[in-house]
Each structure stands twice: as structure tokens, then as C-alpha cells.
Amino acid sequence: MPIDRTGEDRPLLFVGWIDALPVPAALIRPLARGNFRLHASNAAFDRLGLSPAGLTAPIELRRAIERADQDPEDTQEFSCQLGEGPAARDLRGSIGPLSEECGGDHLFLLTLIDRTQEMMTERNLRRELVSDSLTGLPNRAGFEELVEQRIADDAESDHAILLLDLARFSRINEHIGPLAGDELIITVARRLKSSLRSGDILARTGGDEFAISSRIAGGRADVREIARRIRGCFDHPFRIGELKVSVDCALGCTIQVGGDRDVADQVRHAQIALKRAKQTDRIEIYEPEAAMLSDNRFGLETALRSAIEEDRLYLAFQPLIELATGKVSGFEALARWDNKSGDAISPTEFIPIAEDSGLIVPLGQWAIAKAASTIAEWDAKNGGVPVDCYFSVNVSAIQLVRDDVATVVRRALEANDVGGERLMIELTESAIIGDPDLALSVLSELKALHTRVAMDDFGTGYSNLAYLQRLPLDVLKIDRSFVDHMVDDRDKVAIVRTIQSLAEALGMKTTAEGVETADQARLLSALGCDFGQGFLFAHPMASDAAFDYWRQSLSRPIF
Ligand code: C2E
Ligand code: MG
Ligand code: MG
């Protein structure tokens, strides 16, 4: 029966409706520090045994009452646990203001929903999700969770993850039958467990795969010691019923340096080591990425060397469009390499390798020579009339230092009998910053051949305006990053405008890289940018397709 327990001298509220609510409910008035006065309650609420003074109220409830007191307009939600041990109840509650019509006056309706059963089911389900039903050990998900937890608790220490795979388990399983196979797994799990140090985590992460996480102090030596101890578990045969079964295992490990939290990644590393261990029959410790990468780089370097020697690189041509007229003014020649399986390897991948290995010098010489010979080819295709466009070739900063670029260009022009004005050389800012005097002398030699020079990816480096003024540059190529999304980014527009006025002041032209939309092209054109290059006009194309593109552009402007 609802009663008004406030004892205040004012009309008794009609609170009978609270009994009709199907969940524990009470009308409360907040007091200081999350305490409350119980104004009315229903029987379901009374059964929970929350004392009117709020003394037994869980902290979450008290905080919610405090919030309600401070912010009486809003409903406050909370979750809490009442009581301890098996009798504990999981509750979800809300505290909302009672309207004036209901006799509000800083009274709140507190309702609770008992979620004990639901939470128990959820917990059981979770337990099932993270554990292996055969051995009772954590499974892969459970292992990752536990290790993550442990790293969070002890970020200072290094840990090792060891993955263990039973050798030829499927064959053994076939031989002794699946029931005995299960028993073998259970026995292995037990033996492994007894070999571990306290605090180690053991899990069954696959049919015949176990994972161990262990804190280590002595780096690789410590890991090898743990691995040897684990391997020692397999020194004696396992007894399964009447049978004695000898089992061997492969072990792959990885070291997790303090605070390195990506456990899934670490497990993947241990798997790579395990795979190697299966081949070498030794305990393998994962080598850090750099070592793997250098393996891969070395492989790529060898392949690239032979691709250059066997003349298997080719050039792709991407048009440079004059924005004011929509005419093709030239093409950038971009190196392309398809490996022996026919997969294209991006220049962003192989150019750095070429630069590191010195292969950039023959590669760059080849690109210049190939561009010049393609010009001659195009002229011939055009009935012997010189095609009215130039090719722009990239030269790396490293080549500029190690090679005599001007001589390479001169020889390529002479060999194909084409004029220097048909070539442009693209240099990045780093080529100039590295050795400005050298850059100045090479550029001057190129000028003497009538070859033009563009500064590539302008805006991404650290160009000093003084250098820019000194160098006989013809074009600034505005880096793609400023063009990308420039239409709705005022900062980018401001940068492009600045580069544009700088170029104009120095008597240089500009080319915008990475033009992908007509809006960008229009905006660039309005800002005074001279040329555009990008997927809007065309992707880089093979020589024949590029020639056709040029020929067609004569009868209709591209833009
Ligand atoms: P880069 O000189 O700045 O060349 C422009 C790059 O932007 C090319 O990538 C081109 O395909 C790409 N691109 C063109 N239009 C668009 C566009 O609208 N959107 C986007 N997202 N990308 C666009 P690619 O061919 O992959 O070349 C990458 C870089 O590799 C080049 O950048 C250049 O620095 C270098 N490279 C290529 N060929 C050679 C070469 O023969 N010698 C040297 N030293 N470097 C080269
Ligand atoms: Mg370029
Ligand atoms: Mg560029």
C-alpha cells in the first residue's frame, strides 16, 4: 500500500498509481550527497530493501540522484548492482522529474528494471564465446582479451607470445580416433599448464594450436628458455587409455615490447614465426617488420635490376592540358613496371628502392632516352611533321647528384634528332635544396639545350624563395594535396592563389596536379593556373593511346 512517508505538512498526494507500475518504482525527493527521502513506493520496490535514507543505495544510484537534483529537467539513467554474491541483483534505473500536475514540486519518479537474469545469460554467453569447451582454457578471443588486459595493467614489462602447433595431429587423430584425440588435447593442455610460471596465460587457439603469454625480463634469451621448457613437455609420450602416443610440436614466438598493445597483430607475428618453425624444425622468434621488409626490398631490388637490364620497363603518358584553351600542351612520362606475374608495381614503391640501391641512375637515363625516342616515333607517325607537344620526364634528386643529367639529355636529343624544347625535366624541391649550386649549374646547362625545367610537387618541400629566384625554372607544379578537395577548402584555395602569384612574380607558369573534377579545373583556371593534369582529363596511357588522344584533341578541346 503506498503511503506518504514525508510527514510534511501539506496535502497528501494521490500516489496510488505507483502501485500499478509493473516494475520497482518510488517517488523520491533528493537530499544532499545523493541521499533521498522516500515519498512513496510500490511493493516491488520495497522488496529490494533500499533503505529510505538511501544508506544502502549503490553509488551509481546516488550519483544519478545528485545529477537529477542539479538538473531537474532531465531524466537520468544508470545501471547498478544491489547486494553481493549469488543474491546480487543487476538493475537498470531511471530518475525523471514528476510534472507539476502530478504534484511534482521537486519530486522524482525512480523506476528500476531487474536485469539479473539477462546479465547472467549474457555473462554465460560471453564465457562460452571466450573459452574452449574441450579444455576449459580461453580460446583465441579470450586469449587476446586476457593479454590485452594484462598489458593494460602492466605496460612497463615486455611479454612474449608463444604459439605451439602439434605436429601431424590430424594423422594421429585419424589413427587413434576422435575421442582419444580429444583426450590427447586435454592431456597436452594439462601438461602445458604444469610447465608454466605463475601469471602465464595459456589458451587453446585452434584445433591443435595453443598460445602462451608470458612476462619476460631477459629478451630473446628468456623467450628461448620458456620455449625450451614448453618443448620439454613433449619429451615423453602421452598415455591415452592403453596407448602411448609420442607427439612433437612446432613453436613460433614474438616479443611484445612494453606498451605495444595490438595483441591481434602480435598473434599474427607469432603465426608467421610458427609457420617458419614448421619448416625449419627450430624454435623461431619473429623478426621485426624492418627485417622482413628488407627481405622484400632486396627481392624487389633484384627484380627491378633485371627488369631494367632486360628493358622491361615502359613509359605511360599523362596529358598536360592548357586550362585557358583546353588544348594538350604536353605529356608527363611516367615509368611503369609490371613484375613477371604481370602485376603492376607502383612507382611510389619502386622509385624509392631504385633511389636507395643506385638503380635510379640507369632508370633515369632510360626514361630520358625512351621519352626522346618516343617523340621521334610520334613525329614519324605524324607524317614526319613534328608533333606540337613536349614530354616531361621525372629526374630524381639522387640522379641529379650522381649523374651528368645535362649530358644524358643532350645525347638522347641527338640520338633521336629532336630539339631540346621537346623535353621538360621535372625535379623535386629536395633536388634543389640538397645542393643549390649544383642544381643551378645543371639547370643552366639544360637551358642551353632549350630544355625546360619544372619543379614537381611544389609546396610539399621547404623551398627557399631565394633559391626559386636564382633558378631558371619554367614551371611550378602545384602538388596534388592542394588541389584535392580545394573546392570546399578556403585554406587550399589561399595556398594555390599564393603559389600562383609567386609564379607570376618570378615569370613562371603553373601546372596543377591531380585535377579530378571539372569544378577543380574551373576554379584553377579562374585563379590563373596555366595547366592542369589529372584523372579528369586522362589517366596515364600507353604511347599509342596517348598519341591518339593528342590527335583527337586537335579537333576538339579537352576542357
Ligand atoms: P609525380 O611526378 O608527381 O607524378 C604524378 C603522379 O600523380 C603519377 O603517379 C600520376 O599517375 C598521379 N596522378 C595523376 N593524376 C592524378 C589524379 O587526378 N589523381 C590522383 N590521385 N593521382 C594522379 P605515378 O605514376 O604513380 O607516379 C608516382 C611518382 O613516381 C611520380 O610522381 C614521380 O615522383 C615518380 N616517378 C614516376 N616515374 C618516374 C621516373 O621515370 N623517374 C623518377 N625519378 N620518378 C618517377
Ligand atoms: Mg612528376
Ligand atoms: Mg608531382
Side-chain angles (χ1 to χ4, degrees), residues 332 394 426 428 455-458 477-480 513 533:
E332 177 169 3
N394 295 281
E426 295 193 8
T428 54
M455 183 175 276
D456 207 353
D457 308 336
F458 185 71
K477 292 191 81 176
I478 303 170
D479 191 67
R480 197 165 77 211
E513 298 183 327
Q533 173 183 7

Side-chain angles (χ1 to χ4, degrees), residues 381-400:
K381 268 206 220 190
N382 198 37
V385 182
V387 169
D388 182 21
C389 69
Y390 58 90
F391 285 176
S392 198
V393 186
N394 295 281
V395 167
S396 147
I398 298 191
Q399 186 172 12
L400 198 73

Side-chain angles (χ1 to χ4, degrees), residues 263-538:
V263 178
D265 242 17
Q266 300 289 333
V267 171
R268 209 169 41 75
H269 292 167
Q271 267 165 341
I272 294 172
L274 176 62
K275 205 165 153 194
R276 188 149 0 127
K278 285 182 190 171
Q279 291 158 3
T280 60
D281 208 20
R282 286 200 315 245
I283 294 164
E284 292 286 350
I285 301 180
Y286 174 76
E287 296 297 335
E289 205 91 10
M292 298 279 195
L293 206 70
S294 83
D295 272 5
N296 186 29
R297 273 180 95 96
F298 185 69
L300 271 182
E301 185 189 314
T302 313
L304 179 61
R305 188 181 302 277
S306 52
I308 296 171
E309 281 165 9
E310 293 161 20
D311 196 21
R312 281 190 284 107
L313 298 189
Y314 58 97
L315 287 177
F317 300 88
Q318 189 178 30
L320 303 155
I321 310 297
E322 191 176 38
L323 293 174
T325 59
K327 284 194 181 143
V328 175
S329 69
F331 288 83
E332 177 169 3
L334 294 154
R336 291 290 178 263
W337 175 31
D338 301 338
N339 67 12
K340 285 209 161 141
S341 342
D343 303 319
I345 299 170
S346 163
T348 54
E349 194 174 347
F350 70 78
I351 295 290
I353 290 175
E355 287 178 331
D356 286 352
S357 60
L359 285 171
I360 194 70
V361 172
L363 190 152
Q365 292 173 347
W366 164 85
I368 293 168
K370 189 74 188 169
S373 69
T374 308
I375 293 174
E377 245 172 62
W378 281 27
D379 287 354
K381 268 206 220 190
N382 198 37
V385 182
V387 169
D388 182 21
C389 69
Y390 58 90
F391 285 176
S392 198
V393 186
N394 295 281
V395 167
S396 147
I398 298 191
Q399 186 172 12
L400 198 73
V401 177
R402 294 203 196 154
D403 202 5
D404 181 357
V405 175
T407 303
V408 174
V409 170
R410 184 174 47 77
R411 288 201 182 130
L413 294 171
E414 283 168 5
N416 295 284
D417 197 19
V418 292
E421 71 289 347
R422 311 286 297 278
L423 276 188
M424 187 182 280
I425 297 295
E426 295 193 8
L427 294 170
T428 54
E429 288 171 79
S430 58
I432 287 150
I433 292 160
D435 190 344
D437 292 330
L438 173 77
L440 180 59
S441 83
V442 177
L443 261 58
S444 309
E445 288 175 280
L446 289 172
K447 292 270 95 176
L449 296 169
H450 305 290
T451 294
R452 280 169 293 169
V453 182
M455 183 175 276
D456 207 353
D457 308 336
F458 185 71
T460 56
Y462 310 91
S463 284
N464 179 319
L465 289 186
Y467 296 153
L468 272 188
Q469 234 167 344
R470 276 174 61 199
L471 292 170
L473 289 166
D474 301 278
V475 174
L476 292 185
K477 292 191 81 176
I478 303 170
D479 191 67
R480 197 165 77 211
S481 56
F482 305 120
V483 175
D484 184 38
H485 290 112
M486 71 180 292
V487 173
D488 29 53
D489 187 336
R490 283 170 179 212
D491 292 346
K492 289 186 177 175
V493 173
I495 293 170
V496 172
R497 188 173 279 137
T498 309
I499 298 178
Q500 184 62 37
S501 35
L502 178 69
E504 281 169 18
L506 297 173
M508 299 170 190
K509 303 263 183 215
T510 51
T511 300
E513 298 183 327
V515 182
E516 295 186 354
T517 68
D519 279 349
Q520 287 168 348
R522 276 192 288 270
L523 179 53
L524 286 160
S525 179
L527 290 169
C529 188
D530 302 283
F531 306 100
Q533 173 183 7
F535 297 164
L536 169 68
F537 310 115

